[in-house]
């Protein structure tokens, strides 16, 4: 099984925000079930920027990113992903690029804290909590 993890899930874990416990449980379950977890290449740059902006510490930012790479692999964002997203005309182009990257890489689920941001349903979009409940039944 392949999960595409949204940036907001990673940020909740890194900064111990509201959904920290659920994000941590998601990654514990991913490891336990040997599920493959991914983020997009564009999420890598977003994460680095946001983490550095919050920490003001380049060394710490690189260390945090190394820890993230221990949990996830990276899907490249291709020209096809960009043009497929562009053709969808979603309100949030960034979310659509991420979504199309997941579709084109045959992810099984996109995991996000903001389910409402995703307009299409070809790739199931779940909250971490919903995926945890689903994976517990399987």
């Amino acid at each position: 099984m392949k999960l595409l993890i949204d940036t907001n899930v990673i940020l909740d874990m890194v900064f111990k925000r509201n959904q920290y416990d659920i994000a941590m449980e998601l990654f514990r379950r991913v490891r336990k079930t040997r599920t493959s977890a991914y983020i997009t290449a564009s999420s890598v740059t977003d994460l680095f920027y946001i983490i550095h902006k919050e920490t003001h510490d380049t060394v710490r930012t690189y260390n945090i990113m190394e820890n993230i790479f221990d949990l996830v692999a990276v899907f490249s964002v291709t020209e096809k992903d960009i043009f497929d997203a562009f053709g969808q005309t979603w309100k949030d182009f960034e979310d659509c690029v991420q979504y199309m990257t997941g579709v084109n890489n045959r992810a099984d689920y996109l995991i996000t804290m903001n389910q409402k941001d995703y307009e299409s349903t070809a790739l199931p979009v779940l909250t971490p909590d919903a995926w945890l409940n689903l994976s517990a039944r399987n």
Side-chain angles (χ1 to χ4, degrees):
M1 178 179 301
K2 291 196 279 191
L3 304 180
L4 175 55
I5 310 294
D6 193 5
T7 306
N8 57 42
V9 176
I10 303 288
L11 290 172
D12 282 354
M13 183 181 60
V14 168
F15 293 121
K16 298 182 180 177
R17 299 189 312 194
N18 298 346
Q19 302 294 317
Y20 169 76
D21 292 339
I22 294 170
M24 290 299 293
E25 181 58 29
L26 171 83
F27 284 106
R28 278 191 285 276
R29 183 82 50 84
V30 162
R31 279 207 169 153
K32 181 180 178 184
T33 61
R34 295 191 174 140
T35 298
S36 298
Y38 297 85
I39 57 176
T40 64
S42 51
S43 289
V44 172
T45 57
D46 292 346
L47 285 164
F48 192 96
Y49 173 80
I50 294 165
I51 293 166
H52 190 264
K53 184 178 174 188
E54 290 293 316
T55 65
H56 305 286
D57 184 333
T58 302
V59 172
R60 184 170 175 217
T61 300
Y62 274 100
N63 287 336
I64 292 168
M65 291 301 298
E66 286 175 3
N67 290 331
I68 291 168
F69 294 140
D70 285 341
L71 300 172
V72 298
V74 179
F75 281 147
S76 295
V77 177
T78 66
E79 181 178 42
K80 177 175 177 28
D81 301 326
I82 298 293
F83 285 116
D84 286 352
F86 192 75
Q88 299 296 313
T89 64
W90 284 17
K91 292 176 189 168
D92 189 325
F93 183 70
E94 181 183 6
D95 285 342
C96 194
V97 168
Q98 178 164 259
Y99 179 84
M100 293 311 303
T101 302
V103 168
N104 290 336
N105 282 280
R106 293 184 173 91
D108 295 296
Y109 298 98
L110 191 153
I111 308 299
T112 182
M113 298 295 186
N114 300 316
Q115 235 178 341
K116 63 180 174 27
D117 292 347
Y118 293 86
E119 299 178 20
S120 186
T121 58
L123 170 61
V125 178
L126 299 175
T127 63
D129 206 28
W131 184 80
L132 286 166
N133 289 333
L134 180 70
S135 68
R137 289 182 275 177
N138 294 333

